[in-house]
Amino acid sequence: MSPSAVTRALCALVIGMILMASGARAVEKPGVKVRPPEGIEIGMSTNEIAITSDFTGADLTIFGTLTNVDDYLQQIGQYDIIVTLEGPRVDTTIRRKARVFGIWINTEQMTFSSVPQSYSMTSTRVIKDITTQQELASLNVGIDHIRLFAANYFGDIAALDDFRQAFRRQMLSGGLYQTNPGGIRFVSPSLFRATLKLPADVPNGVHMVHAYLFKSGEFLMETKLPLRVVKTGIEQSLTEAAYGNSFLYGLSAVIIALTIGWAGSVIFRKD
């Protein structure tokens, strides 16, 4: 390598080191702090709900805190929260009845794969005012945005939409799907409280609590916790018998019904 080439290489190295040093000093400039990202943390009033014979529903309280928030944006209401409670996911079949020769019978059906058996949602305000419909759909947040995939269906899209709407109407009318806009309250600038409703016929199993944080309509992060719903006492015994020994359970039910019917006829028989 010629002396001139060595000189040029040394000059380039020195210039590079000077630029790196000046950049490092710019990053480490005193008094300039980089704000860490906002976050959300949640806790529940209980991790397990026991279902007894007199269970008529319950309220689940969620406590949470926001971290690293901008005080000004918080004061003007730019932070929003959505909290949902999703029940265990199962395949669900919806049937359509039609009148055939004067009799209403099931003529069509559609099975949706892995849908929540129950769904409860609350938020700081109406969710359509929090973010866009596209964002809600991508997050699978809101009853209208729960993904309903029809297993092995290749028919008319209009019929698929009809079955989806029928499924949502059925779950809403049965109380298994419900919403409570405005049910989240801030008890301090960073602490909040949310209440979710559990219906009387809440399904057994592991439910998931999801909390979503938004800033000025932009989704920031999600956190979640599990909630166990278990049946206790005779309800649990009957459930285990029905699913674990279905034949004996059905046979026992028939025998009990026949015995009660026979006993009733003997007691109230008129001589």
Side-chain angles (χ1 to χ4, degrees):
M1 182 179 294
S2 63
S4 59
V6 173
T7 302
R8 286 195 298 270
L10 289 174
C11 290
L13 180 60
V14 171
I15 294 173
M17 293 177 65
I18 293 174
L19 291 175
M20 290 178 62
S22 62
R25 284 195 298 270
V27 173
E28 298 174 1
K29 185 178 178 180
V32 177
K33 295 183 179 180
V34 178
R35 177 183 292 275
E38 296 95 331
I40 182 171
E41 299 176 1
I42 59 172
M44 296 184 293
S45 56
T46 179
N47 293 321
E48 181 176 295
I49 293 179
I51 305 298
T52 59
S53 58
D54 58 348
F55 182 78
T56 58
D59 290 341
L60 176 66
T61 302
I62 310 295
F63 297 98
T65 181
L66 303 184
T67 59
N68 304 320
V69 296
D70 185 291
D71 294 336
Y72 174 73
L73 294 179
Q74 176 68 345
Q75 290 176 3
I76 63 175
Q78 292 301 299
Y79 289 100
D80 283 293
I81 304 165
I82 300 176
V83 178
T84 65
L85 175 64
E86 291 188 7
R89 291 180 172 268
V90 297
D91 293 349
T92 303
T93 300
I94 300 297
R95 296 177 175 84
R96 174 184 289 171
K97 292 182 179 293
R99 196 180 183 100
V100 179
F101 300 110
I103 302 175
W104 288 97
I105 61 174
N106 295 323
T107 57
E108 296 180 74
Q109 69 177 35
M110 186 174 296
T111 299
F112 295 114
S113 302
S114 186
V115 295
Q117 291 180 275
S118 61
Y119 187 88
S120 180
M121 182 186 71
T122 187
S123 53
T124 49
R125 49 183 172 151
V126 179
I127 60 173
K128 68 180 182 63
D129 296 332
I130 293 178
T131 188
T132 63
Q133 297 295 314
Q134 293 79 8
E135 187 72 81
L136 293 172
S138 66
L139 294 172
N140 196 26
V141 171
I143 294 175
D144 292 336
H145 302 293
I146 294 175
R147 297 187 181 99
L148 299 176
F149 294 112
N152 302 319
Y153 180 77
F154 305 98
D156 185 14
I157 297 298
L160 176 59
D161 290 338
D162 290 342
F163 275 98
R164 284 172 172 166
Q165 294 301 322
F167 169 81
R168 293 188 175 99
R169 287 195 303 269
Q170 177 177 309
M171 302 302 282
L172 283 168
S173 62
L176 290 172
Y177 280 20
Q178 49 190 303
T179 62
N180 179 28
I184 297 179
R185 293 285 184 269
F186 280 95
V187 296
S188 77
S190 61
L191 299 176
F192 66 89
R193 174 177 176 174
T195 301
L196 294 168
K197 299 286 187 181
L198 279 77
D201 52 350
V202 60
N204 198 38
V206 178
H207 299 235
M208 292 301 298
V209 176
H210 299 259
Y212 305 86
L213 176 62
F214 298 83
K215 181 178 72 173
S216 303
E218 177 186 357
F219 170 68
L220 296 182
M221 69 166 295
E222 170 195 359
T223 186
K224 58 185 178 181
L225 288 175
L227 170 72
R228 294 184 67 245
V229 176
V230 295
K231 293 181 178 179
T232 59
I234 189 172
E235 291 81 7
Q236 178 64 16
S237 300
L238 291 175
T239 300
E240 292 177 353
Y243 286 94
N245 300 283
S246 56
F247 175 77
L248 294 177
Y249 179 83
L251 181 62
S252 299
V254 171
I255 293 174
I256 292 173
L258 291 174
T259 302
I260 293 175
W262 173 81
S265 65
V266 170
I267 295 173
F268 297 103
R269 182 175 57 190
K270 295 182 179 179
D271 296 332

